[in-house]
């Protein structure tokens, strides 16, 4: 692909660590462990630095050699007579620490440690890694790795890696937490004419992490898209902050591998069971404006589109094709990715009808027919680009008897020069379209072998364009009664109780302005009757015990109680059932609750993710929530827009809108509860899990009612 070479970081961020830049654009490079033996990595690394066109001085370091690969060698870093910006370290593991000490003494700005045998091998390796980081940090030196492939920067240019080849320059900055995968990708990319601006193998991330690179690349004029293969994120909070800013300026596309289940700890709530770390990653990425893809193919398909095409201003797609089948596949894919086929104006369709053969299809997808030459493609493309409707163009071509793929490719490239809409191509086949694809590529048009892949790439661009348009919004802060919550929590913690009883849990959410049914805690039969009369029938009786999480399962709940007699009977039944089924449970009393009127049952929950902290959940409530899994997640804190999205995201959203004659639910009241729970989690990090299930939603303006609340704390 053709790219415009641009300069070094185009803007400076106030908190920018300039030493990080030395990894990519050093003024001088030392290769420590450089070797004359072509079978050694130290040989390959030095050869790569030398042959990559690096413009500055290169210093091989090796105590046993005077010259290596034609360059004067030095016995140690400190003996190099000039300053060194970047050291690439390829010495055996036991020698690394002393080399890092030398680098620190020499005021080297950044080091790449290729050597393996550190944290990935166990506690001893981890300790060695920590020592290295502490030496580096005290000298302000940044360290990439250890256990990495290195860095390639095609703009500097510098190949500071042992990768076999230097990619061609392009706007893609790629980072990988797997070195082996990175090496394979370089090889694969070369065969597809896919270039990179930067290529980084992160290794063990002892110091430099994915967040550091996001920060640097956000301000680098040569980077049009950041593309990453990640297996985990070390500091979730920092990643979210950095990524939220970076995605305002550059698209960030991530393939996150390793879909793990929820941790092995005992999970007491529905939310805890549903919120796996994969859901937390998806939520965090979404909130930070990151595009998450599911395969390597999608990662590079979308990166290629981002790096070469302008963003679409909307989601309307126009297709010009010479074949029916592929355009149907593309149309289906468009629907799947939320793209709409542009309804062309009458003027355009009339003109298409005039210029195309009678059998051609003049509505979108525009079919110029199998025998179409470049002129018909040109006519159709010019007309659709002149139409005020339409945000992106996909040109499909299958090589048929009279097809001139090469000239048609030229038509597409020419059209690309004259429009600010994205154009991508799907010239299908192999030998028949090879040179045409090369023409497209040279003209900056990405080509995809299949229509669904082309459409998926456009879908990712449209998603990013939408994310970019989101207004920056701060989470709302509500006036709440923190002291009341603090008192409940302090009491439970002092007693060493991780779980609150249902009565206490309800007090906590009520203190945050979430409506709960009228309730009283009865410690005797008489108190229960009196409470029921004050609250008004019908009532519900529920055992209040921090030791009983699933109250119905031990016979601890009676609903629809209509009279004092029924209260007495229910009270006795609950006490008897609990005494048998949960004999050792501590009983705080029996909660007497106003019976909530029927409405739509939803669930709002909180759990803690090890990487990102509190995760908020929303879904339709009830007992099947864990089976159906129709839920949405966001990381705390959330904004009003996040809350609205969470509600709309579940498949059952039409139920809340009032499907099939049901009354609609008070969506703004649900949103309010989500935001209040988010604030609760922020204010009280010790909350480990929370379930409001059900949160009954009524038609507007009647709001919601938190009918049952479970809450557990980390002690
Ligand atoms: N300063 C400078 N040079 C030193 C040195 C020091 N303190 N200690 C050793 N050297 C030199 C050696 O003399 C040798 O040069 P020579 O060929 O002229 O003798 C060179 O450094 C390499 O040392 P050697 O003992 O031959 O090691 P090696 O090349 O077999 O292995 C590594 C070194 C770094 C490649 C190896 O330890 C390693 O970590 N391999 C895995 C790398 C990897 O896979 N990384 C992750 C990728 S994703």
């Amino acid at each position: 692909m053709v790219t415009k070479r641009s300069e070094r970081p185009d803007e400076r961020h106030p908190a920018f660590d300039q030493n990080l830049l030395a990894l990519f654009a050093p003024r001088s490079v030392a290769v420590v462990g450089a070797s004359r033996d072509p079978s050694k990595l130290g040989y390959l690394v030095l050869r790569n630095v030398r042959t990559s066109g690096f413009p500055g001085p290169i210093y091989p370091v090796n105590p046993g050699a005077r010259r290596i690969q034609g360059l004067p060698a030095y016995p140690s870093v400190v003996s190099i007579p000039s300053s060194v910006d970047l050291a690439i370290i390829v010495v055996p593991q036991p020698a690394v620490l002393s080399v890092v000490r030398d680098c620190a003494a020499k005021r080297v700005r950044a080091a790449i440690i290729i050597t393996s045998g550190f944290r990935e091998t166990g506690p001893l390796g981890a300790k060695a890694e920590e020592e290295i980081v502490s030496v580096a940090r005290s000298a302000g030196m940044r360290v990439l790795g250890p256990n990495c492939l290195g860095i390639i920067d095609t703009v500097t240019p510098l190949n500071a890696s042992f990768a076999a080849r230097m990619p061609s320059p392009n706007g893609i900055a790629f980072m990988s937490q797997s070195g082996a995968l990175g090496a394979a990708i370089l090889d694969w990319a070369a065969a597809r004419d896919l270039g990179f601006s930067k290529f980084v193998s992160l290794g063990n991330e002892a110091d430099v992490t994915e967040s550091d690179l996001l920060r640097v690349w956000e301000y680098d004029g040569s980077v049009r898209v950041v593309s990453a293969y990640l297996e985990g994120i070390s500091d979730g909070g920092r990643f979210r902050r950095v990524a939220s800013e970076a995605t305002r300026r550059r698209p960030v596309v991530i393939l996150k591998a390793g879909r793990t289940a929820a941790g092995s700890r005992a999970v007491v709530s529905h939310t805890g069971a549903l919120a796996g770390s994969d859901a937390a990653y998806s939520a965090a990425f979404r909130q930070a404006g990151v595009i998450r893809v599911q395969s390597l193919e999608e990662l590079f398909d979308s990166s290629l589109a981002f790096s070469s095409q302008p963003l679409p201003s909307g989601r309307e797609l126009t297709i010009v094709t010479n074949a029916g089948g592929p355009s149907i596949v593309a149309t289906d894919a468009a629907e799947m990715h939320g793209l709409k086929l542009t309804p062309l104006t009458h003027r355009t369709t009339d003109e298409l009808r005039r210029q195309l053969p009678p059998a051609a299809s003049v509505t979108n997808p525009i079919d110029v027919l199998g025998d179409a030459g470049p002129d018909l493609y040109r006519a159709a493309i010019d007309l659709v680009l002149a139409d005020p409707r339409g945000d992106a163009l996909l040109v499909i071509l299958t090589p048929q008897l009279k097809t001139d793929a090469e000239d048609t490719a030229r038509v597409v490239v020419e059209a690309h020069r004259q429009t600010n809409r994205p154009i991508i191509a799907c010239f299908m086949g192999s030998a028949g379209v090879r040179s045409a694809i090369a023409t497209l590529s040279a003209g900056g048009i990405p080509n995809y072998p299949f229509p669904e892949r082309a459409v998926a790439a456009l879908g990712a661009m449209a998603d990013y364009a939408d994310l970019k348009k989101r207004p920056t919004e701060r989470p709302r802060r509500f006036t709440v009664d923190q002291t009341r919550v603090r008192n409940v929590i302090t009491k439970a913690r002092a007693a060493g109780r991780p779980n609150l009883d249902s009565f206490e849990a309800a007090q906590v959410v009520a203190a945050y302005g979430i409506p709960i049914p009228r309730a009283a805690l009865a410690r005797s039969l008489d108190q229960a009757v009196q409470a029921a009369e004050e609250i008004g029938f019908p009532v519900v009786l529920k055992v209040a015990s921090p030791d009983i999480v699933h109250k119905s399962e031990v016979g601890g709940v009676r609903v629809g109680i209509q009279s004092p007699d029924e209260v007495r009977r229910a009270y006795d039944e609950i006490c008897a059932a609990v005494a048998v089924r949960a004999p050792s449970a501590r009983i705080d009393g029996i909660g007497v609750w106003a019976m909530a009127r029927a409405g739509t049952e939803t669930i709002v929950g909180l759990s803690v993710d090890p990487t990102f902290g509190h995760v908020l959940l929303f879904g339709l409530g009830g007992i099947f929530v864990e089976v159906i899994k129709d839920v949405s997640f966001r990381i705390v804190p959330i904004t009003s827009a996040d809350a609205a999205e969470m509600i709309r995201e579940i498949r059952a959203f039409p139920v809340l809108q009032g499907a099939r004659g049901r009354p609609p639910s008070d969506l703004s009241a649900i949103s309010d509860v989500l935001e209040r729970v988010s604030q609760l989690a922020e204010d009280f990090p010790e909350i480990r899990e929370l379930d409001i299930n059900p949160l009954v939603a009524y038609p507007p303006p009647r709001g919601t009612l938190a009918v049952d609340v479970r809450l557990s704390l980390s002690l």
Side-chain angles (χ1 to χ4, degrees):
M1 298 283 306
V2 159
T3 97
K4 297 178 193 90
R5 280 191 172 212
S6 48
E7 304 313 310
R8 282 285 118 204
D10 49 2
E11 286 138 88
R12 291 279 189 266
H13 190 274
F16 207 77
D17 180 353
Q18 296 295 316
N19 279 2
L20 263 180
L21 279 185
L23 284 171
F24 299 96
R27 283 163 305 184
S28 53
V29 174
V31 179
V32 192
S35 172
R36 288 159 297 190
D37 177 348
S39 69
K40 292 194 179 173
L41 286 195
Y43 176 93
L44 294 177
V45 171
L46 179 61
R47 190 202 60 190
N48 284 349
V49 175
R50 275 182 37 242
T51 56
S52 58
F54 177 65
I58 303 164
Y59 307 109
V61 176
N62 183 321
R66 302 192 122 213
R67 286 189 85 75
I68 303 179
Q69 299 181 31
L71 295 170
Y74 299 86
S76 69
V77 174
V78 279
S79 61
I80 298 170
S82 313
S83 68
V84 175
D85 269 2
L86 174 68
I88 312 168
I89 302 174
V90 250
V91 298
Q93 199 267 8
V96 172
L97 181 60
S98 80
V99 169
V100 169
R101 284 207 180 100
D102 281 359
C103 290
K106 178 76 186 163
R107 302 240 152 265
V108 169
R109 292 170 65 200
I112 300 173
I113 305 177
I114 286 174
T115 310
S116 58
F118 291 90
R119 198 182 52 197
E120 78 282 7
T121 58
L124 268 181
K127 195 163 167 289
E129 196 172 302
E130 276 159 30
E131 278 183 274
I132 285 169
V133 173
S134 110
V135 171
R137 292 233 164 111
S138 58
M141 179 169 78
R142 301 308 303 265
V143 173
L144 179 78
N147 187 32
C148 73
L149 194 70
I151 277 186
I152 301 176
D153 187 313
T154 58
V155 180
T156 300
L158 171 66
N159 183 353
S161 80
F162 65 88
R165 55 173 92 228
M166 178 94 167
S168 56
N170 194 351
I172 303 172
F174 174 67
M175 61 173 114
S176 175
Q177 282 179 344
S178 157
L181 183 98
I185 279 170
L186 279 178
D187 200 43
W188 172 86
R192 276 158 194 79
D193 201 17
L194 181 75
F196 294 96
S197 158
K198 330 268 170 213
F199 172 93
V200 175
S201 152
L202 283 158
N204 291 2
E205 300 193 6
D207 173 38
V208 173
T209 67
E210 60 285 331
S211 298
D212 291 312
L213 298 188
L214 274 180
R215 172 113 291 168
V216 180
W217 291 346
E218 178 189 348
Y219 291 93
D220 192 315
S222 72
V223 175
R224 291 191 66 177
V225 53
V226 176
S227 177
Y229 168 82
L230 301 181
E231 289 165 2
I233 283 171
S234 39
D235 180 345
R238 173 153 188 254
F239 175 83
R240 286 192 60 208
R241 281 192 304 280
V242 172
S244 300
E245 277 181 31
T247 56
R248 298 249 160 226
R249 302 165 56 89
R250 303 276 187 279
V252 176
V253 190
I254 297 181
L255 172 63
K256 160 69 181 62
R259 296 168 162 263
T260 56
S264 55
R265 68 187 168 79
V267 169
V268 297
S269 66
H270 287 298
T271 306
L274 284 162
S277 79
D278 199 59
Y281 271 100
S282 287
F285 284 1
R286 197 188 160 81
Q287 282 164 275
V290 167
I291 302 290
R292 183 175 188 180
V293 293
Q294 303 300 337
S295 66
L296 282 166
E297 191 175 86
E298 253 188 277
L299 184 68
F300 289 104
D301 281 355
S302 54
S303 298
L304 194 56
F306 278 119
S307 69
S308 61
Q309 296 299 304
L311 285 180
S313 44
R315 305 193 73 94
E316 282 186 0
L317 168 67
T318 309
I319 301 171
V320 175
T321 179
N322 70 349
S327 70
I328 297 172
V329 174
T331 306
D332 286 348
E335 164 127 14
M336 228 175 73
H337 293 280
L339 300 172
K340 287 194 297 273
L341 288 202
T342 316
L344 299 166
T345 58
H346 289 305
R347 223 173 122 181
T348 306
T349 40
D350 288 350
E351 200 51 38
L352 282 166
R353 196 169 290 119
R354 222 173 52 75
Q355 296 194 25
L356 299 182
S361 162
V362 295
T363 53
N364 195 5
I366 297 151
D367 191 340
V368 292
L369 301 181
D371 59 356
D375 287 348
L376 284 190
Y377 266 101
R378 178 178 291 119
I381 291 172
D382 286 350
L383 284 170
V384 298
L385 289 178
D387 192 305
R389 298 290 298 261
D391 303 307
L393 172 64
L394 167 62
V395 182
I396 300 177
L397 176 143
T398 61
Q400 301 182 42
L401 212 57
K402 289 164 79 180
T403 308
D404 183 343
E406 179 71 45
D407 274 358
T408 308
R410 283 196 195 98
V411 166
V412 179
V413 170
E414 230 164 83
H416 172 53
R417 293 208 184 101
Q418 281 149 30
T419 182
N420 52 10
R421 294 181 202 176
I423 303 184
I424 64 172
C426 174
F427 280 30
M428 299 175 74
S430 180
V433 290
R434 191 166 295 132
S435 69
I437 291 173
T439 302
L440 288 169
S441 174
I445 307 275
N447 186 73
Y448 300 88
F450 298 109
E452 61 275 26
R453 282 175 55 183
V455 173
L458 274 176
M461 290 187 92
D463 289 347
Y464 175 65
D466 282 347
L467 286 168
K468 232 181 143 181
K469 279 185 220 148
R470 286 193 304 190
T472 21
E473 198 192 355
R474 292 193 165 279
R476 282 201 284 169
R477 290 291 300 181
F478 301 88
T479 309
V480 295
D481 187 352
Q482 277 199 25
T483 316
R484 199 158 134 214
V485 177
R486 171 67 50 223
N487 289 343
V488 173
I489 289 180
T490 309
K491 199 172 123 202
R493 285 183 132 182
R497 290 191 284 128
N499 297 330
L500 301 187
D501 74 40
S502 54
F503 204 77
E504 291 170 321
Q507 299 311 308
V508 167
V509 300
Y512 267 64
I514 296 166
I516 59 167
R518 287 191 65 195
L521 185 64
R523 294 205 168 78
S524 71
L525 191 59
D526 288 346
Q527 277 182 5
V529 173
Q530 196 189 344
E533 280 173 335
E534 274 169 27
I535 287 166
F537 292 101
V539 293
V540 177
L541 262 54
K542 289 191 233 175
V543 62
S545 164
D547 301 325
I548 303 175
V549 178
H550 302 287
K551 296 181 290 295
S552 316
E553 284 169 21
V554 296
V557 180
R558 289 287 183 281
V559 301
I561 296 164
Q562 300 284 0
S563 66
D565 272 353
E566 281 182 39
V567 171
R568 289 191 189 94
R569 204 175 321 131
Y571 190 99
D572 286 341
E573 279 170 9
I574 289 177
C575 290
V578 168
V580 174
R581 293 206 190 137
S584 55
R586 184 192 114 145
I587 309 295
D588 292 339
I590 303 288
V592 182
W593 300 76
M595 176 129 164
R597 271 185 291 171
T600 304
E601 294 197 351
T602 66
I603 175 171
V604 170
L606 277 178
S607 63
V608 179
D609 178 78
T611 308
F612 296 106
H614 275 119
V615 180
L616 185 64
L617 162 145
F618 174 72
L620 276 204
I623 50 173
F624 297 124
V625 61
E626 273 180 49
V627 180
I628 297 168
K629 296 196 169 100
D630 182 16
V631 286
S632 54
F633 297 95
R634 291 292 182 278
I635 311 293
V636 165
I638 61 159
T639 62
S640 302
D642 291 329
E645 272 179 23
M646 283 183 85
I647 297 169
R648 275 176 180 75
E649 214 170 279
I650 61 168
R651 288 194 304 278
F653 176 59
V655 173
L656 296 172
Q657 281 180 303
R660 298 195 166 241
R662 289 173 65 93
S665 299
D666 193 335
L667 300 182
S668 74
I670 298 176
S671 177
D672 194 77
V673 172
L674 288 166
E675 291 174 73
R676 285 172 187 272
V677 170
S678 164
Q679 182 177 332
L680 174 67
E682 262 208 298
D683 294 348
F684 294 94
E686 58 267 56
I687 295 179
R688 198 169 59 115
E689 282 181 28
L690 169 77
D691 258 6
I692 305 180
N693 186 24
L695 174 81
V696 180
Y698 299 104
R702 283 173 38 215
T704 62
L705 210 49
V707 168
D708 198 40
V709 186
R710 285 177 203 169
L711 198 158
S712 65
L713 304 165
S714 40
L715 289 178

